[in-house]
Amino acid sequence: MRDCVLVRVYGERTELLVDRENEVRNFQLLRAHGCAPKLYCTFQNGLCYEYVQGVALGPEHIREPQLFRLIALEMAKIHTIHANGSLPKPTLWHKMHRYFTLVKDEISPSLSADVPKVEVLEQELAWLKEHLSQLDSPVVFCHNDLLCKNIIYDSDKGRVCFIDYEYAGYNYQAFDIGNHFNEFAGVNVVDYSRYPARETQVQWLRYYLEAQKGTAASPREVERLYAQVNKFALASHFFWALWALIQNQYSTISFDFLRYAVIRFNQYFKVKPQVSALEMPK
């Protein structure tokens, strides 16, 4: 296994979703900071890199305190990276608008009665941008796709490594964390009863803030980040629902992307009332 390399071939039409040159730049940037494996070569429709020793985690693992502590520490480390020459402008709104433009002509009752109407999605997108932009979440270098299988745990070294940097780039700190919390529900079998409880989140956020600051976090700091994270988790539902609608059109992977889009939209509308009512500590 020491001589093992990993070759990844890009999926059908994924260039609609992912800027491949940006992915390679992110890979090299993360590698330079000790947060990614070696990148050996790139070719037109893929890349080849060092195999990361360890196991890809599942939803049952990322809720274990000793593991989620390592995940929080690694995320805090990545969030301190500065890409020289790159303006820290969040990619979220630009990407969501692009995805929305790609799918809005496809959305119709014949696609699925369960997908919200274009006008509704347009309103929600405007609402998200207006509300979340006001929360003052810092813009940092983010992974943006921290699902379980993108976290490799090496039990010998007692550390985790994040893989797959297709969506990495500058974004809101709270989006990266909220997106990861949504992934507690899983992908193939999605169960939002596994979304981390308040006390789990508070412990996770405390580990994260302490790693970032080097000192203990105050209850107010934890509360503030908790509110931001749960509000940005809404944007994560919306983002991946739009993404799934694009994949539904073009992907050759055997996965029910349309069903997944509906699940994410449903969860968005279900949690929106309680999350939007969350008070931000001053």
Side-chain angles (χ1 to χ4, degrees), residues 25 114 185 224 242 245:
R25 277 196 302 272
D114 298 320
R224 185 176 163 77
L242 293 175
L245 289 178

Side-chain angles (χ1 to χ4, degrees), residues 154-172:
D154 183 337
S155 53
D156 295 339
K157 290 187 181 153
R159 72 160 288 192
V160 293
C161 178
F162 301 163
I163 57 165
D164 284 5
Y165 318 114
E166 298 178 291
Y167 299 92
Y170 277 112
N171 210 347
Y172 298 100

Side-chain angles (χ1 to χ4, degrees), residues 29 32-33 77-86 88 139-141 170:
L29 179 68
H33 287 84
K77 184 180 174 184
I78 285 174
H79 284 180
T80 61
I81 293 174
H82 292 282
N84 291 337
S86 177
V139 175
V140 295
F141 192 78
Y170 277 112

Side-chain angles (χ1 to χ4, degrees), residues 20 28 30 44 54 112 135 143 155 237 257 261:
R20 294 300 178 187
Q28 289 162 329
L30 286 160
Q44 266 185 311
S112 165
L135 298 178
H143 183 283
S155 53
H237 286 307
F257 286 106

Side-chain angles (χ1 to χ4, degrees), residues 192 234 237 262-272:
Y192 284 108
L234 279 177
H237 286 307
V262 169
I263 288 170
R264 297 303 296 255
F265 278 134
N266 286 349
Q267 190 63 14
Y268 170 88
F269 286 106
K270 183 181 171 186
V271 297
K272 183 187 169 189

Side-chain angles (χ1 to χ4, degrees), residues 81-149:
I81 293 174
H82 292 282
N84 291 337
S86 177
L87 265 179
K89 202 173 167 230
T91 55
L92 183 63
W93 309 120
H94 171 71
K95 267 195 179 160
M96 285 230 272
H97 280 290
R98 227 187 76 234
Y99 287 6
F100 182 61
T101 305
L102 284 168
V103 296
K104 67 178 179 190
D105 296 337
E106 295 301 313
I107 297 171
S108 66
S110 60
L111 172 71
S112 165
D114 298 320
V115 173
K117 290 189 171 71
V118 170
E119 305 77 52
V120 173
L121 296 181
E122 221 151 13
Q123 282 168 3
E124 292 302 323
L125 196 45
W127 182 87
L128 279 169
K129 188 171 183 180
E130 186 194 339
H131 281 74
L132 302 185
S133 301
Q134 295 171 10
L135 298 178
D136 290 332
S137 180
V139 175
V140 295
F141 192 78
C142 293
H143 183 283
N144 290 320
D145 187 21
L146 209 54
L147 48 95
C148 304
K149 296 296 178 204

Side-chain angles (χ1 to χ4, degrees), residues 25-42:
R25 277 196 302 272
N26 292 333
F27 208 127
Q28 289 162 329
L29 179 68
L30 286 160
R31 172 67 192 163
H33 287 84
C35 297
K38 286 191 192 104
L39 179 61
Y40 295 128
C41 68
T42 63

Side-chain angles (χ1 to χ4, degrees), residues 5-279:
V5 298
L6 208 139
V7 176
R8 197 164 99 227
V9 177
Y10 300 145
E12 197 67 38
R13 302 293 298 272
T14 50
E15 69 281 358
L16 289 170
L17 297 156
V18 176
D19 176 338
R20 294 300 178 187
E21 284 177 16
N22 197 40
E23 179 187 9
V24 171
R25 277 196 302 272
N26 292 333
F27 208 127
Q28 289 162 329
L29 179 68
L30 286 160
R31 172 67 192 163
H33 287 84
C35 297
K38 286 191 192 104
L39 179 61
Y40 295 128
C41 68
T42 63
F43 39 100
Q44 266 185 311
N45 65 329
L47 34 83
C48 173
Y49 56 94
E50 179 185 11
Y51 176 77
V52 180
Q53 298 290 341
V55 292
L57 298 181
E60 66 281 10
H61 303 118
I62 61 170
R63 55 194 323 107
E64 291 175 20
Q66 69 271 29
L67 282 178
F68 76 58
R69 179 178 164 271
L70 295 176
I71 294 164
L73 300 189
E74 186 67 9
M75 195 187 281
K77 184 180 174 184
I78 285 174
H79 284 180
T80 61
I81 293 174
H82 292 282
N84 291 337
S86 177
L87 265 179
K89 202 173 167 230
T91 55
L92 183 63
W93 309 120
H94 171 71
K95 267 195 179 160
M96 285 230 272
H97 280 290
R98 227 187 76 234
Y99 287 6
F100 182 61
T101 305
L102 284 168
V103 296
K104 67 178 179 190
D105 296 337
E106 295 301 313
I107 297 171
S108 66
S110 60
L111 172 71
S112 165
D114 298 320
V115 173
K117 290 189 171 71
V118 170
E119 305 77 52
V120 173
L121 296 181
E122 221 151 13
Q123 282 168 3
E124 292 302 323
L125 196 45
W127 182 87
L128 279 169
K129 188 171 183 180
E130 186 194 339
H131 281 74
L132 302 185
S133 301
Q134 295 171 10
L135 298 178
D136 290 332
S137 180
V139 175
V140 295
F141 192 78
C142 293
H143 183 283
N144 290 320
D145 187 21
L146 209 54
L147 48 95
C148 304
K149 296 296 178 204
N150 284 344
I151 306 168
I152 309 295
Y153 172 55
D154 183 337
S155 53
D156 295 339
K157 290 187 181 153
R159 72 160 288 192
V160 293
C161 178
F162 301 163
I163 57 165
D164 284 5
Y165 318 114
E166 298 178 291
Y167 299 92
Y170 277 112
N171 210 347
Y172 298 100
Q173 171 198 56
F175 177 88
D176 215 13
I177 302 172
N179 183 67
H180 175 61
F181 286 173
N182 280 338
E183 293 298 341
F184 276 54
V187 175
N188 292 321
V189 179
V190 185
D191 175 5
Y192 284 108
S193 71
R194 293 193 296 216
Y195 186 77
R198 185 188 152 82
E199 51 274 23
T200 303
Q201 289 193 43
V202 164
Q203 187 57 65
W204 198 108
L205 297 171
R206 205 174 279 133
Y207 285 141
Y208 170 88
L209 286 167
E210 286 168 7
Q212 209 180 41
K213 294 170 51 172
T215 57
S218 71
R220 189 191 148 278
E221 286 173 308
V222 176
E223 273 305 312
R224 185 176 163 77
L225 187 52
Y226 173 81
Q228 289 171 327
V229 161
N230 284 276
K231 287 171 187 286
F232 269 96
L234 279 177
S236 153
H237 286 307
F238 208 85
F239 180 88
W240 294 112
L242 293 175
W243 170 90
L245 289 178
I246 298 169
Q247 291 283 30
N248 182 57
Q249 270 175 270
Y250 300 109
S251 180
T252 53
I253 296 169
S254 140
F255 180 81
D256 193 342
F257 286 106
L258 185 58
R259 182 175 164 272
Y260 186 73
V262 169
I263 288 170
R264 297 303 296 255
F265 278 134
N266 286 349
Q267 190 63 14
Y268 170 88
F269 286 106
K270 183 181 171 186
V271 297
K272 183 187 169 189
Q274 67 210 64
V275 167
S276 46
L278 269 179
E279 288 290 321

